[in-house]
Amino acid sequence: MKPTLFVLAAGMGSRYGGLKQLDGLGPNGETIMDYSIFDAIRGGFGKIVFVIREIFEQDFREKIISKYENHIPVEVVFQDLNSLPEGFTCPEGREKPWGTNHAVLMGKDVIKEPFAVINADDFYGRDSFAVLGKALTEMAGTENKYCMIGYRVGNTLSESGSVARGVCETNEEGFLTGVVERTAIERIDGDIQFVDENGQKVVLEENTPVSMNMWGFTPDYFKYSEEYFVDFLKNNMDNLKSEFFIPLVVNELITTGTASVKVLDTTSKWFGVTYADDRQGVVDKIQALVDAGEYPNKLF
Protein backbone atom coordinates (compact mmCIF):
# COMPACT_ATOMS: atom_id res chain seq x y z
CA MET A 1 0.00 0.00 0.00
CA LYS A 2 1.58 3.25 -1.10
CA PRO A 3 1.39 6.27 1.23
CA THR A 4 -0.64 9.39 0.45
CA LEU A 5 0.63 12.97 0.32
CA PHE A 6 -1.77 15.42 1.99
CA VAL A 7 -1.09 18.99 0.85
CA LEU A 8 -2.35 21.88 2.99
CA ALA A 9 -3.42 24.46 0.42
CA ALA A 10 -6.47 26.03 2.07
CA GLY A 11 -4.51 29.19 2.87
CA MET A 12 -4.01 29.77 -0.82
CA GLY A 13 -5.73 32.77 -2.24
CA SER A 14 -6.30 34.40 1.12
CA ARG A 15 -3.37 36.78 0.93
CA TYR A 16 -3.36 37.59 -2.74
CA GLY A 17 -6.94 37.14 -3.96
CA GLY A 18 -7.20 34.25 -6.37
CA LEU A 19 -4.33 31.83 -6.73
CA LYS A 20 -1.63 34.36 -7.49
CA GLN A 21 0.79 32.99 -4.97
CA LEU A 22 1.09 29.90 -7.11
CA ASP A 23 3.97 31.81 -8.51
CA GLY A 24 6.00 30.20 -11.30
CA LEU A 25 9.53 29.89 -9.92
CA GLY A 26 10.92 27.03 -12.02
CA PRO A 27 12.40 27.34 -15.53
CA ASN A 28 9.04 26.53 -17.15
CA GLY A 29 6.84 28.37 -14.68
CA GLU A 30 6.74 25.48 -12.18
CA THR A 31 5.42 26.30 -8.71
CA ILE A 32 7.07 25.16 -5.50
CA MET A 33 4.19 22.69 -5.13
CA ASP A 34 5.00 21.11 -8.52
CA TYR A 35 8.40 20.14 -7.14
CA SER A 36 6.80 18.57 -4.05
CA ILE A 37 4.44 16.48 -6.19
CA PHE A 38 7.30 15.43 -8.48
CA ASP A 39 9.45 14.44 -5.47
CA ALA A 40 6.54 12.60 -3.85
CA ILE A 41 5.98 10.48 -6.97
CA ARG A 42 9.72 9.70 -7.02
CA GLY A 43 9.58 8.90 -3.30
CA GLY A 44 6.94 6.20 -3.70
CA PHE A 45 3.73 8.05 -2.85
CA GLY A 46 0.60 6.69 -4.56
CA LYS A 47 -1.99 9.45 -4.19
CA ILE A 48 -2.21 13.20 -3.60
CA VAL A 49 -4.98 14.83 -1.55
CA PHE A 50 -5.30 18.62 -1.53
CA VAL A 51 -7.24 20.51 1.09
CA ILE A 52 -8.41 23.83 -0.37
CA ARG A 53 -11.17 26.38 0.08
CA GLU A 54 -14.21 25.41 -1.96
CA ILE A 55 -14.45 28.89 -3.49
CA PHE A 56 -11.23 28.17 -5.43
CA GLU A 57 -12.15 24.67 -6.61
CA GLN A 58 -12.64 25.39 -10.30
CA ASP A 59 -9.55 27.59 -10.52
CA PHE A 60 -7.52 25.00 -8.64
CA ARG A 61 -8.65 22.10 -10.82
CA GLU A 62 -7.89 23.99 -14.03
CA LYS A 63 -4.56 25.51 -13.05
CA ILE A 64 -3.12 22.93 -10.70
CA ILE A 65 -4.64 19.49 -10.75
CA SER A 66 -4.86 19.21 -14.53
CA LYS A 67 -1.04 19.04 -14.56
CA TYR A 68 -0.81 15.97 -12.35
CA GLU A 69 -3.78 13.96 -13.56
CA ASN A 70 -1.91 11.56 -15.84
CA HIS A 71 0.87 11.08 -13.31
CA ILE A 72 -0.82 10.22 -9.99
CA PRO A 73 -4.39 9.94 -8.60
CA VAL A 74 -5.57 13.23 -7.04
CA GLU A 75 -8.43 14.03 -4.67
CA VAL A 76 -9.66 17.34 -3.28
CA VAL A 77 -11.28 18.06 0.10
CA PHE A 78 -12.44 21.39 1.48
CA GLN A 79 -11.66 23.30 4.65
CA ASP A 80 -14.54 25.42 5.80
CA LEU A 81 -15.13 27.44 8.97
CA ASN A 82 -18.43 25.58 9.44
CA SER A 83 -16.88 22.09 9.27
CA LEU A 84 -17.24 21.53 13.00
CA PRO A 85 -18.15 18.56 15.21
CA GLU A 86 -21.80 18.02 16.12
CA GLY A 87 -23.07 20.53 18.64
CA PHE A 88 -20.72 23.35 17.63
CA THR A 89 -21.41 26.31 15.37
CA CYS A 90 -18.89 28.81 14.10
CA PRO A 91 -19.00 32.00 16.23
CA GLU A 92 -20.18 35.16 14.56
CA GLY A 93 -17.31 37.34 13.36
CA ARG A 94 -14.78 34.54 12.98
CA GLU A 95 -12.88 34.84 9.70
CA LYS A 96 -9.63 33.03 10.49
CA PRO A 97 -9.50 29.33 9.51
CA TRP A 98 -9.33 26.88 12.40
CA GLY A 99 -5.67 25.99 11.79
CA THR A 100 -3.48 23.27 10.30
CA ASN A 101 -4.84 20.35 12.29
CA HIS A 102 -8.41 21.29 11.39
CA ALA A 103 -7.23 21.18 7.76
CA VAL A 104 -5.79 17.70 8.41
CA LEU A 105 -9.17 16.52 9.75
CA MET A 106 -10.77 17.30 6.40
CA GLY A 107 -8.94 14.27 4.94
CA LYS A 108 -10.41 11.66 7.26
CA ASP A 109 -12.96 10.25 4.81
CA VAL A 110 -10.58 9.86 1.86
CA ILE A 111 -7.30 8.79 3.52
CA LYS A 112 -7.15 5.19 4.74
CA GLU A 113 -3.40 4.61 4.49
CA PRO A 114 -0.26 6.12 6.07
CA PHE A 115 0.05 9.74 4.95
CA ALA A 116 2.41 12.70 4.93
CA VAL A 117 1.32 16.27 5.63
CA ILE A 118 3.08 19.21 3.98
CA ASN A 119 2.52 22.91 3.33
CA ALA A 120 1.77 23.84 -0.27
CA ASP A 121 4.26 26.69 -0.43
CA ASP A 122 7.40 25.19 1.10
CA PHE A 123 10.20 23.63 -0.96
CA TYR A 124 11.10 20.46 0.93
CA GLY A 125 13.62 18.80 -1.39
CA ARG A 126 14.08 15.37 -2.94
CA ASP A 127 15.76 13.58 -0.01
CA SER A 128 13.01 14.49 2.48
CA PHE A 129 10.31 12.82 0.33
CA ALA A 130 12.48 9.74 -0.18
CA VAL A 131 13.07 9.43 3.60
CA LEU A 132 9.41 10.04 4.48
CA GLY A 133 8.05 7.80 1.71
CA LYS A 134 10.16 4.89 2.97
CA ALA A 135 9.17 5.45 6.61
CA LEU A 136 5.45 5.67 5.77
CA THR A 137 5.57 2.51 3.65
CA GLU A 138 7.00 0.70 6.68
CA MET A 139 4.26 2.17 8.93
CA ALA A 140 1.43 0.40 7.05
CA GLY A 141 -0.77 -1.55 9.45
CA THR A 142 0.62 0.09 12.60
CA GLU A 143 -0.94 2.64 14.97
CA ASN A 144 0.35 5.31 17.36
CA LYS A 145 3.82 5.39 15.79
CA TYR A 146 4.27 8.57 13.76
CA CYS A 147 7.22 10.42 12.34
CA MET A 148 8.30 13.82 11.15
CA ILE A 149 11.12 15.20 9.04
CA GLY A 150 13.52 17.16 11.22
CA TYR A 151 15.36 19.68 9.07
CA ARG A 152 18.80 20.78 10.22
CA VAL A 153 18.21 24.37 11.29
CA GLY A 154 21.20 25.58 9.28
CA ASN A 155 19.43 24.33 6.13
CA THR A 156 16.28 26.41 6.75
CA LEU A 157 17.37 30.01 7.22
CA SER A 158 16.42 33.03 5.10
CA GLU A 159 19.04 35.44 3.82
CA SER A 160 16.49 38.27 3.98
CA GLY A 161 15.69 38.26 7.70
CA SER A 162 14.97 36.16 10.76
CA VAL A 163 12.62 33.16 10.75
CA ALA A 164 10.31 31.36 13.20
CA ARG A 165 10.89 27.62 13.57
CA GLY A 166 9.54 24.81 15.70
CA VAL A 167 12.72 23.68 17.47
CA CYS A 168 12.49 19.95 18.21
CA GLU A 169 13.53 18.41 21.48
CA THR A 170 14.38 14.71 21.18
CA ASN A 171 15.40 11.88 23.48
CA GLU A 172 18.42 9.60 23.06
CA GLU A 173 16.49 7.27 20.74
CA GLY A 174 15.61 10.12 18.39
CA PHE A 175 11.96 10.38 19.38
CA LEU A 176 10.31 13.76 19.71
CA THR A 177 9.71 14.98 23.26
CA GLY A 178 8.37 18.41 22.30
CA VAL A 179 8.30 21.18 19.72
CA VAL A 180 8.96 24.72 20.95
CA GLU A 181 8.13 27.58 18.61
CA ARG A 182 11.08 29.98 18.49
CA THR A 183 10.97 33.31 16.70
CA ALA A 184 13.68 35.58 15.33
CA ILE A 185 16.16 32.81 14.52
CA GLU A 186 19.02 34.08 12.38
CA ARG A 187 22.69 33.64 11.69
CA ILE A 188 24.74 36.40 13.31
CA ASP A 189 28.54 36.39 13.06
CA GLY A 190 28.44 32.75 12.00
CA ASP A 191 26.24 31.59 14.91
CA ILE A 192 22.60 30.56 14.55
CA GLN A 193 20.81 32.21 17.45
CA PHE A 194 17.54 33.46 18.88
CA VAL A 195 16.46 35.32 22.02
CA ASP A 196 14.45 33.23 24.49
CA GLU A 197 11.50 34.28 26.69
CA ASN A 198 13.93 35.58 29.35
CA GLY A 199 15.72 37.83 26.87
CA GLN A 200 18.75 35.53 26.83
CA LYS A 201 20.62 34.85 23.60
CA VAL A 202 20.58 31.14 22.77
CA VAL A 203 22.89 29.64 20.14
CA LEU A 204 21.56 26.66 18.18
CA GLU A 205 23.90 23.96 16.93
CA GLU A 206 23.91 23.80 13.09
CA ASN A 207 22.20 20.38 12.92
CA THR A 208 19.50 21.04 15.56
CA PRO A 209 16.30 19.52 14.14
CA VAL A 210 13.43 21.91 13.40
CA SER A 211 9.92 21.20 12.18
CA MET A 212 8.91 22.58 8.80
CA ASN A 213 5.44 21.04 9.06
CA MET A 214 6.37 17.80 7.26
CA TRP A 215 4.71 15.00 9.22
CA GLY A 216 4.01 11.30 8.80
CA PHE A 217 0.86 9.81 10.34
CA THR A 218 -1.29 6.68 10.20
CA PRO A 219 -5.10 7.02 9.91
CA ASP A 220 -5.68 6.60 13.69
CA TYR A 221 -4.36 10.18 13.96
CA PHE A 222 -7.75 11.39 12.68
CA LYS A 223 -9.54 9.84 15.66
CA TYR A 224 -7.29 11.62 18.19
CA SER A 225 -7.59 14.87 16.25
CA GLU A 226 -11.38 14.72 16.43
CA GLU A 227 -11.31 14.12 20.18
CA TYR A 228 -8.85 16.93 20.84
CA PHE A 229 -10.69 19.30 18.52
CA VAL A 230 -13.82 18.98 20.67
CA ASP A 231 -11.77 19.91 23.77
CA PHE A 232 -10.08 22.73 21.87
CA LEU A 233 -13.43 24.20 20.81
CA LYS A 234 -14.83 23.98 24.34
CA ASN A 235 -11.88 26.03 25.59
CA ASN A 236 -11.30 28.42 22.69
CA MET A 237 -14.65 29.01 21.01
CA ASP A 238 -14.77 32.66 22.05
CA ASN A 239 -11.25 33.48 20.86
CA LEU A 240 -11.77 34.42 17.20
CA LYS A 241 -8.06 34.06 16.45
CA SER A 242 -7.34 30.73 18.16
CA GLU A 243 -6.02 27.99 15.88
CA PHE A 244 -5.88 24.23 16.19
CA PHE A 245 -2.29 23.49 15.10
CA ILE A 246 -0.65 20.12 14.39
CA PRO A 247 2.05 20.55 17.12
CA LEU A 248 -0.72 21.08 19.72
CA VAL A 249 -2.10 17.62 19.01
CA VAL A 250 1.32 16.00 18.60
CA ASN A 251 2.59 17.45 21.90
CA GLU A 252 -0.55 16.20 23.67
CA LEU A 253 -0.16 12.68 22.24
CA ILE A 254 3.50 12.57 23.26
CA THR A 255 2.91 14.00 26.73
CA THR A 256 0.14 11.50 27.51
CA GLY A 257 2.22 8.62 26.14
CA THR A 258 -0.48 7.84 23.57
CA ALA A 259 1.82 7.99 20.56
CA SER A 260 5.48 8.36 19.65
CA VAL A 261 6.99 10.49 16.88
CA LYS A 262 10.33 9.53 15.36
CA VAL A 263 12.36 12.49 14.10
CA LEU A 264 13.88 11.60 10.72
CA ASP A 265 16.98 13.43 9.53
CA THR A 266 17.21 14.80 6.01
CA THR A 267 20.03 16.36 4.03
CA SER A 268 17.46 18.40 2.07
CA LYS A 269 17.69 22.16 2.24
CA TRP A 270 14.33 23.77 2.88
CA PHE A 271 13.48 27.02 1.22
CA GLY A 272 10.43 29.18 0.74
CA VAL A 273 9.34 32.70 0.05
CA THR A 274 9.16 34.04 3.61
CA TYR A 275 9.95 37.57 2.44
CA ALA A 276 9.36 39.18 -0.97
CA ASP A 277 13.15 39.51 -1.22
CA ASP A 278 13.46 35.71 -1.03
CA ARG A 279 11.77 35.17 -4.39
CA GLN A 280 14.80 35.61 -6.65
CA GLY A 281 16.92 33.46 -4.34
CA VAL A 282 14.37 30.64 -4.66
CA VAL A 283 14.34 30.96 -8.46
CA ASP A 284 18.16 30.76 -8.44
CA LYS A 285 18.22 27.76 -6.08
CA ILE A 286 15.73 25.84 -8.21
CA GLN A 287 17.69 26.65 -11.36
CA ALA A 288 20.86 25.40 -9.66
CA LEU A 289 19.12 22.09 -8.79
CA VAL A 290 17.94 21.74 -12.40
CA ASP A 291 21.46 22.51 -13.67
CA ALA A 292 22.87 19.87 -11.30
CA GLY A 293 20.48 17.25 -12.73
CA GLU A 294 18.33 16.91 -9.59
CA TYR A 295 15.23 17.85 -11.60
CA PRO A 296 14.34 17.81 -15.28
CA ASN A 297 14.02 21.19 -16.96
CA LYS A 298 10.26 20.63 -17.37
CA LEU A 299 8.52 18.66 -14.62
CA PHE A 300 5.09 17.78 -16.03
Side-chain angles (χ1 to χ4, degrees):
M1 185 189 286
K2 288 184 167 184
T4 286
L5 180 68
F6 194 13
V7 183
L8 306 185
M12 295 209 148
S14 55
R15 288 188 298 254
Y16 297 94
L19 295 174
K20 287 207 192 75
Q21 76 263 55
L22 285 172
D23 198 358
L25 301 165
N28 285 284
E30 289 89 354
T31 66
I32 283 181
M33 197 157 71
D34 290 339
Y35 287 93
S36 292
I37 307 301
F38 186 83
D39 282 333
I41 294 169
R42 282 203 282 206
F45 287 79
K47 183 173 77 177
I48 311 289
V49 179
F50 291 100
V51 56
I52 64 172
R53 284 159 56 193
E54 195 163 6
I55 183 173
F56 295 122
E57 182 183 12
Q58 192 183 346
D59 218 8
F60 199 85
R61 285 189 185 279
E62 287 168 8
K63 290 181 182 164
I64 316 298
I65 293 175
S66 56
K67 282 189 277 200
Y68 313 136
E69 272 175 332
N70 300 324
H71 300 276
I72 190 167
V74 175
E75 295 196 51
V76 174
V77 294
F78 305 115
Q79 185 179 19
D80 185 276
L81 282 175
N82 298 307
S83 302
L84 295 174
E86 212 171 309
F88 292 94
T89 44
C90 185
E92 205 178 321
R94 178 158 188 126
E95 289 171 16
K96 200 171 187 56
W98 290 104
T100 49
N101 211 81
H102 178 251
V104 169
L105 266 174
M106 301 303 106
K108 72 177 192 300
D109 295 331
V110 298
I111 298 175
K112 307 295 179 198
E113 52 284 309
F115 64 100
V117 176
I118 65 165
N119 295 335
D121 48 3
D122 287 330
F123 190 102
Y124 289 103
R126 178 180 186 169
D127 181 68
S128 62
F129 284 98
V131 169
L132 193 51
K134 181 175 181 290
L136 287 168
T137 303
E138 291 165 0
M139 280 158 61
T142 66
E143 290 194 341
N144 305 330
K145 293 186 175 74
Y146 310 139
C147 62
M148 62 160 280
I149 295 289
Y151 279 77
R152 301 169 186 177
V153 68
N155 283 342
T156 74
L157 302 177
S158 163
E159 283 140 37
S160 310
S162 66
V163 295
R165 296 285 176 258
V167 177
C168 300
E169 292 166 359
T170 54
N171 64 16
E172 283 162 15
E173 287 85 49
F175 287 95
L176 191 67
T177 55
V179 180
V180 183
E181 191 65 27
R182 295 295 186 190
T183 55
I185 299 175
E186 57 188 323
R187 196 186 293 278
I188 299 173
D189 302 330
D191 286 336
I192 301 170
Q193 56 189 48
F194 66 90
V195 175
D196 70 10
E197 53 280 351
N198 303 317
Q200 299 296 311
K201 184 180 90 172
V202 181
V203 172
L204 289 173
E205 197 268 317
E206 194 77 27
N207 292 333
T208 303
V210 295
S211 168
M212 301 307 301
N213 217 29
M214 192 177 199
W215 301 91
F217 298 117
T218 44
D220 47 291
Y221 184 75
F222 293 122
K223 176 186 71 184
Y224 299 125
S225 295
E226 285 183 302
E227 291 166 8
Y228 288 158
F229 192 40
V230 169
D231 289 343
F232 172 86
L233 289 171
K234 284 178 182 164
N235 295 321
N236 296 283
M237 205 58 174
D238 299 337
N239 178 353
L240 298 182
K241 290 205 163 33
S242 60
E243 288 185 75
F244 185 53
F245 291 122
I246 295 168
L248 276 178
V249 179
V250 168
N251 274 331
E252 184 70 24
L253 290 169
I254 291 170
T255 309
T256 55
T258 309
S260 64
V261 178
K262 183 81 177 172
V263 178
L264 306 172
D265 181 42
T266 181
T267 56
S268 285
K269 286 185 161 57
W270 171 95
F271 47 89
V273 184
T274 309
Y275 299 94
D277 292 354
D278 291 332
R279 186 185 183 280
Q280 189 54 48
V282 171
V283 170
D284 296 344
K285 284 172 185 157
I286 290 174
Q287 187 61 55
L289 289 169
V290 172
D291 293 343
E294 282 270 325
Y295 296 95
N297 196 48
K298 189 168 178 22
L299 288 185
F300 295 105

